[in-house]
Amino acid sequence: MPLEIKILDYGDIELESSFLVLGRDCGRTRRVLTLGFLIVGGPYPVVVDTGYRSNQIMETLGMRGLQFHENMIENQLARHGVRMGDVRFVCHTHLHIDHAGKDDLFPMNTTVVLNRKELEYSVSGLMHPQYPAPDIKHLIDRLHTKSALRFLDLEVTGPIELMPGVYCDAANAHTEGSMNIHVHTADGIATICGDVIYDFNDQIVNPFNEIHDWEPRTTGNHGTSKRAEKAAIKKLLSNSRYLLPVHDRPARIEGGMVVGRLHDQVPGPVVQSLPQRNWFPA
């Protein structure tokens, strides 16, 4: 069975618009998705990112969490016939508040996989309080439990194969230890890219306040340079058939451009097609 990615809906977040896209609608609130991903079709299920711990914890960042019963991770997995204990690996694009909040619900014989630099970065204080204490303290418990945590050193090794058809690779953007997860599907490479991209339309399709050709807009929330952020986005657009961020619906990519949007699974039906750009007007 070819590998497929199922979308897990962990609820929404209301936050300031320029946090998502640099300089956009400063002071205005936007509501965004918080997604996770279930990789199926391999020897065992793999989950990527686990959402935020509770609605209340989002208030520590001045944001509003909108998570309901149907958004609980166990209920989202059950929609696909998967129980928490069935999951072999939980991978993290990074460890921010809305990505690693439900790790403690998984048994200790489920291995959490992350880039070693990300755990180091999470305790550096450089993006505090986006790394809340309960989430990071749980990972320290895993650090001292046999086989409960797996470290990757992607900056040194390059891409690492987690299981046949699933590769982890350093993102080199958003946080110092962020990673992308590349899934080889029957229709090409689908890359789960965390928060390197927040908003396809205003960062890539019609990049906000950018005047240069094919120049993406960065997010308003990153710990690396703008050069690194832009380069990371360009690399994703060049190397993947599908891109799956955590706060926007998946996109289909052709020729480095976003040409369609998907909904609940990748590969899957395109629910919105975007017109090709007319590069050579008469």
Side-chain angles (χ1 to χ4, degrees):
M1 177 180 175
L3 295 177
E4 297 179 351
I5 305 172
K6 307 296 185 181
I7 310 302
L8 308 176
D9 181 358
Y10 296 145
D12 294 353
I13 299 173
E14 289 183 351
L15 71 167
E16 206 257 353
S17 177
S18 66
F19 191 90
L20 301 168
V21 179
L22 184 64
R24 181 190 67 184
D25 295 337
C26 296
R28 295 186 63 181
T29 298
R30 287 219 176 187
R31 181 168 174 168
V32 297
L33 302 158
T34 302
L35 304 177
F37 308 95
L38 173 66
I39 303 171
V40 296
Y44 33 71
V46 174
V47 166
V48 180
D49 287 346
T50 60
Y52 54 93
R53 181 172 290 269
S54 66
N55 290 333
Q56 291 73 30
I57 204 167
M58 296 308 302
E59 296 173 6
T60 64
L61 294 182
M63 301 176 186
R64 183 185 179 202
L66 295 158
Q67 186 181 88
F68 304 99
H69 179 73
E70 63 269 19
N71 304 120
M72 297 298 104
I73 190 167
E74 59 270 27
N75 297 330
Q76 287 293 305
L77 290 174
R79 293 174 57 236
H80 305 287
V82 175
R83 299 170 299 177
M84 304 285 282
D86 297 334
V87 176
R88 175 67 184 89
F89 293 123
V90 170
C91 299
H92 284 302
T93 59
H94 62 297
L95 299 175
H96 274 170
I97 190 170
D98 49 340
H99 294 258
K102 299 292 181 69
D103 289 13
D104 57 355
L105 299 182
F106 287 89
M108 285 299 200
N109 61 0
T110 294
T111 303
V112 172
V113 182
L114 48 87
N115 199 15
R116 189 189 307 269
K117 183 176 280 190
E118 181 63 11
L119 187 59
E120 296 171 350
Y121 189 66
S122 73
V123 297
S124 70
L126 289 172
M127 293 187 82
H128 178 77
Q130 294 193 54
Y131 295 101
D135 300 354
I136 303 307
K137 288 179 178 179
H138 170 71
L139 291 173
I140 300 306
D141 289 338
R142 286 186 174 270
L143 179 72
H144 293 281
T145 303
K146 184 175 176 57
S147 299
L149 196 61
R150 177 175 174 180
F151 286 120
L152 306 178
D153 294 291
L154 298 172
E155 295 79 14
V156 179
T157 64
I160 291 288
E161 185 178 36
L162 184 67
M163 70 179 193
V166 178
Y167 295 82
C168 302
D169 190 20
N172 297 314
H174 189 58
T175 69
E176 289 186 1
S178 285
M179 70 178 181
N180 297 320
I181 293 91
H182 306 292
V183 181
H184 290 240
T185 76
D187 194 35
I189 297 174
T191 299
I192 300 168
C193 56
D195 288 356
V196 179
I197 297 169
Y198 275 145
D199 184 315
F200 279 115
N201 187 67
D202 288 357
Q203 286 188 259
I204 297 167
V205 177
N206 294 298
F208 176 77
N209 266 6
E210 296 290 346
I211 63 172
H212 302 123
D213 196 31
W214 288 55
E215 187 73 0
R217 186 71 171 178
T218 69
T219 74
N221 176 43
H222 53 81
T224 71
S225 71
K226 289 183 176 55
R227 184 193 303 273
E229 295 292 314
K230 287 174 178 282
I233 294 170
K234 292 173 182 177
K235 184 177 180 180
L236 288 170
L237 291 168
S238 295
N239 293 344
S240 299
R241 175 71 160 175
Y242 298 97
L243 293 177
L244 297 87
V246 163
H247 298 294
D248 203 354
R249 288 290 176 186
R252 182 168 176 167
I253 311 299
E254 290 181 7
M257 294 187 295
V258 177
V259 298
R261 305 300 299 279
L262 297 87
H263 190 67
D264 284 336
Q265 64 182 33
V266 174
V270 171
V271 297
Q272 178 191 5
S273 295
L274 278 69
Q276 293 282 350
R277 297 179 186 176
N278 183 6
W279 295 112
F280 306 103

